[in-house]
Amino acid sequence: MPGGTRGAHEGILRRQAARESAARTYARALPIVPVRARGLTIEGADGRRYLDCLSGAGTLALGHNHPVVLEAVRRVLDSGAPLNCLDLATPVKDAFTTELFRTLPPGLAERARVQFCGPAGTDAVEAALKLVRAATGRTGILAFTGAYHGQTAGALEASGGASDVRVARLPYPQDYRCPFGVGGARGAELAARWTESLLDDPKSGVPRPAGMILEPVQGEGGVLPAPDAWLRRMRALTEARSIPLIVDEVQTGVGRTGRYWAVEHSGTVPDVMVLSKAIGGSLPLAVIVYRDDLDVWPPGAHAGTFRGNQLAMAAGTATLAYVRENGLAGRAAELGERMLGQLRELARSYACVGEVRGRGLMIGVELVDPAGEPGGRDGERGKPGTCASPDGRTETDDGRTETGHGLTETGRGLTGAAGHEPRPTAPHLAAAVQRECLRRGLIVELGGRDASVVRLLPPLTITDEQASAVLDRLADAVAAVAGGPRAGA
Ligand code: PMP
């Protein structure tokens, strides 16, 4: 066996459990010991092979160990270039910056500055917050429900799970769990109006902020794509009030959503973009790019030892160029649409699949408790094996399934015209689907409210055959958890 043995595999997992922190995350749900990886495939120390749709939490645009990435890394190693350079100029960094600027949305590209940050998305978020505070002289930040921006103090504060907040929280539009109970364009319009009124009401309790930060598709938040019209509204609202708009493209960037940068779907040009994950070609790298007139912070305003990772820059340059030259954003759009279509069949077959949503190759399948009351929210319900009961859902034009009919008064308030009364989240079912996927050799991620959304983030290089294999395994896993398709399916 190339990587080891079943005994070695178990020994490593046992020692990990004994020695590593209680705060460890992925390792708990995914008891695998990767020893080799290529493209979509990971091979474990036990000799098992897995299709990896976690992709380093959305990092691997080209999958594991893509030849162009390996070649770029080898070239730096063989050249004798220094591996650690602080923020000094190097040919490797120069090439990375040139390629990065080449990809930026028009409107930002011509006037862009780049700040190399410490090697994590969260550090780049901190840099963005500092930048807009320095540029505006203001302190407050506008952020959104369900947001995820990282784990350092400022980024955490801007995230939806924050408990100690100095940011003003605004509603992020979403169909299935629309805070206004209507979803669709109407829900997004109401969300935008709330934001506008907060900004313009002198008694809103929210002083003019230093910036607004948002994700064009919330990833950790449960794969929630922002409607393009809403994003344009946020751009117009902030621009008219001289509030810098920070778009966090840490997870959505480099083709993932079907455009090179997710803001391009809406034609929005942000003032600041936060970039990490895929830009390092699987190695750690994080930057912010922003319009030059914001560049008024002093030297050292955002420093850090590890801002010069030459291997990551070389791997990143190769990845950015490969995605651009091979039209992988377009491929993500096309394949993602097909995968979403097939997954929506799954939603029609199983009452425990509440909604299937996504953009490009950022896909989410929300598990709900089919026995739960629509409009209820009980993350503790939804035990495995309770998924197959028929319900009264209707199908929408775009293939989504919905509960309820028409605008009706319920004990819990208004149900929207499209009947937006989602069933309660089902974290137990989502965890069971993740386990069943793993048993079938498929690695998926969980996210969203109560970790009840199964997430797929396959590499943009995934083939049609591999995509079919992924969907087959996921469908089998849902069937196993559901105990069979729902009646009438
Ligand atoms: N922003 C977004 C949108 C993210 O998805 C993440 C990570 N999942 C981060 C920021 C934080 O990045 P990191 O984990 O590298 O600090």
Side-chain angles (χ1 to χ4, degrees):
M1 190 174 302
T5 61
R6 177 104 219 143
H9 160 96
E10 275 161 13
I12 289 168
L13 287 180
R14 205 173 39 249
R15 287 190 291 283
Q16 178 184 46
R19 300 192 295 205
E20 289 189 27
S21 160
R24 68 192 187 282
T25 54
Y26 302 102
R28 291 180 185 277
L30 301 170
I32 58 174
V33 181
V35 289
R36 260 173 226 282
R38 187 79 173 208
L40 180 68
T41 307
I42 285 183
E43 191 177 315
D46 56 357
R48 285 199 69 195
R49 290 161 75 85
Y50 301 88
L51 303 182
D52 179 15
C53 283
L54 173 56
S55 292
T59 304
L60 305 172
L62 306 184
H64 292 277
N65 296 357
H66 192 281
V68 299
V69 169
L70 296 184
E71 171 56 26
V73 169
R74 272 195 205 104
R75 225 179 301 126
V76 175
L77 288 176
D78 293 344
S79 74
L83 294 180
N84 183 335
C85 294
L86 300 167
D87 68 351
L88 302 180
T90 69
V92 171
K93 187 199 230 180
D94 188 53
F96 173 79
T97 306
T98 301
E99 180 58 38
L100 178 66
F101 279 26
R102 192 167 176 176
T103 69
L104 291 178
L108 183 57
E110 309 83 61
R111 296 188 54 189
R113 288 276 185 280
V114 59
Q115 162 77 18
F116 286 84
C117 301
T122 195
D123 192 63
V125 169
E126 300 291 344
L129 300 181
K130 269 190 211 168
L131 177 82
V132 296
R133 283 176 170 141
T136 62
R138 304 188 290 255
T139 52
I141 297 293
L142 302 177
F144 289 87
T145 50
Y148 184 82
H149 298 293
Q151 293 280 326
T152 49
L156 206 53
E157 204 180 12
S159 299
S163 53
D164 176 20
V165 280
R166 283 176 302 159
V167 308
R169 188 76 47 197
L170 300 169
Y172 191 86
Q174 54 173 313
D175 276 348
Y176 191 58
R177 296 189 187 281
C178 174
F180 305 104
V182 294
R186 179 84 185 128
E189 167 63 21
L190 292 173
R193 273 200 210 181
W194 173 250
T195 297
E196 188 168 13
S197 73
L198 213 79
L199 287 173
D200 291 344
D201 178 356
K203 295 283 182 193
S204 69
V206 178
R208 176 66 50 95
M212 171 188 281
I213 183 166
L214 60 82
E215 298 151 88
V217 180
Q218 287 191 346
E220 308 301 328
V223 194
L224 299 170
D228 293 340
W230 176 85
L231 199 49
R232 283 191 289 270
R233 270 295 278 288
M234 293 304 105
R235 174 66 287 188
L237 286 177
T238 48
E239 192 162 27
R241 292 159 184 78
S242 300
I243 300 166
L245 175 64
I246 305 165
V247 174
D248 180 343
E249 290 244 23
V250 166
Q251 193 164 142
T252 50
V254 196
R256 168 68 52 197
T257 70
R259 298 297 295 261
Y260 205 99
W261 305 107
V263 285
E264 292 171 33
H265 289 288
S266 60
T268 300
V269 180
D271 302 300
V272 185
M273 287 172 73
V274 184
L275 312 176
S276 189
K277 292 200 196 276
I279 64 159
S282 74
L283 297 178
L285 189 61
V287 303
I288 55 172
V289 286
Y290 51 94
R291 214 184 39 251
D292 51 10
D293 60 296
L294 295 171
D295 201 25
V296 295
W297 52 358
H302 195 74
T305 304
F306 289 114
R307 286 176 294 146
N309 188 335
Q310 301 295 290
L311 294 181
M313 289 174 195
T317 308
T319 301
L320 295 177
Y322 192 90
V323 170
R324 179 175 56 75
E325 287 162 2
N326 292 280
L328 292 191
R331 164 71 180 162
E334 173 257 321
L335 179 59
E337 208 40 57
R338 261 192 288 144
M339 290 178 77
L340 280 171
Q342 289 173 39
L343 286 168
R344 285 181 179 129
E345 292 292 323
L346 204 64
R348 280 189 272 274
S349 302
Y350 296 100
C352 63
V353 177
E355 191 184 40
V356 169
R357 55 184 179 250
R359 197 153 207 186
L361 289 174
M362 202 167 170
I363 293 171
V365 176
E366 178 159 344
L367 277 295
V368 296
D369 176 4
E373 189 189 336
R377 192 174 169 282
D378 180 357
E380 291 311 302
R381 300 233 295 270
K383 299 277 189 292
T386 60
C387 185
S389 60
D391 67 3
R393 294 188 299 181
T394 53
E395 211 176 286
T396 61
D397 291 345
D398 64 358
R400 280 181 297 115
T401 48
E402 292 177 337
T403 52
H405 315 274
L407 194 69
T408 47
E409 283 280 358
T410 71
R412 292 166 184 273
L414 285 177
T415 307
H420 284 83
E421 284 288 14
R423 294 193 185 273
T425 57
H428 289 94
L429 293 180
V433 169
Q434 187 186 40
R435 271 195 309 276
E436 290 298 326
C437 283
L438 195 66
R439 269 164 46 96
R440 289 161 176 78
L442 174 64
I443 299 172
V444 296
E445 153 92 301
L446 297 184
R449 308 297 198 275
D450 305 319
S452 56
V453 179
V454 173
R455 302 181 58 208
L456 298 178
L457 293 160
L460 314 185
T461 49
I462 185 174
T463 64
D464 288 350
E465 296 70 37
Q466 287 173 326
S468 297
V470 165
L471 294 180
D472 284 350
R473 291 181 198 191
L474 178 58
D476 284 354
V478 171
V481 169
R486 75 176 183 180

